[in-house]
């Protein structure tokens, strides 16, 4: 857990020789759901760190969204409180341990955006 938490402090963006940059994330978001499941079972506070990482990712995505996209998006709506979001991520990782933790985080962001987006 300590090694993972230390790694959570950095995010690296790497560019390939191609025209489009590829993102290489590091930290808690780079873990698999299987690793997430193991860590939250072993350490009570681990889920808080993972969720903080998810919130940071979603906030960054919101800030970097092109003009007109996701304007006014509330990442903490009353209809989907923080505990519900934590439960959502835990449920998706539990059902899909082979996925990266970021897959459920992206699904959460899409859900917060609303239907049809």
């Amino acid at each position: 857990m300590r090694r993972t938490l230390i790694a959570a402090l950095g995010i690296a963006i790497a560019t390939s020789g191609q025209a489009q940059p590829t993102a290489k994330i590091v930290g808690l978001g780079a873990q698999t759901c299987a690793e997430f499941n193991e860590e939250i079972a072993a350490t009570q506070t681990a889920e808080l760190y993972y969720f903080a990482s998810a919130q940071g990712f979603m906030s960054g995505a919101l800030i970097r969204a092109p003009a007109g996209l996701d304007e006014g998006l509330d990442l903490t709506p009353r209809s989907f409180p923080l505990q519900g979001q934590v439960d959502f991520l835990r449920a998706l990782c539990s059902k899909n341990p082979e996925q990266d933790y970021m897959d459920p985080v992206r699904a959460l962001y899409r859900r917060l955006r609303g239907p049809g987006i």
Side-chain angles (χ1 to χ4, degrees), residues 54-74:
Q55 288 180 307
F57 173 82
M58 293 187 299
S59 295
L62 188 57
I63 289 168
R64 302 232 349 134
L69 182 65
D70 294 343
E71 285 183 9
L73 176 60
D74 184 357

Side-chain angles (χ1 to χ4, degrees), residues 10-74:
I11 295 179
I13 301 295
T15 56
S16 66
Q18 302 168 347
Q20 286 202 344
T22 57
K24 179 181 189 261
I25 63 168
V26 297
L28 294 175
Q31 304 295 343
T32 65
C33 278
E35 291 168 318
F36 165 80
N37 295 334
E38 288 175 24
E39 287 193 32
I40 66 169
T43 307
Q44 186 176 14
T45 58
E47 194 165 28
L48 297 174
Y49 293 111
Y50 273 91
F51 187 61
S53 175
Q55 288 180 307
F57 173 82
M58 293 187 299
S59 295
L62 188 57
I63 289 168
R64 302 232 349 134
L69 182 65
D70 294 343
E71 285 183 9
L73 176 60
D74 184 357

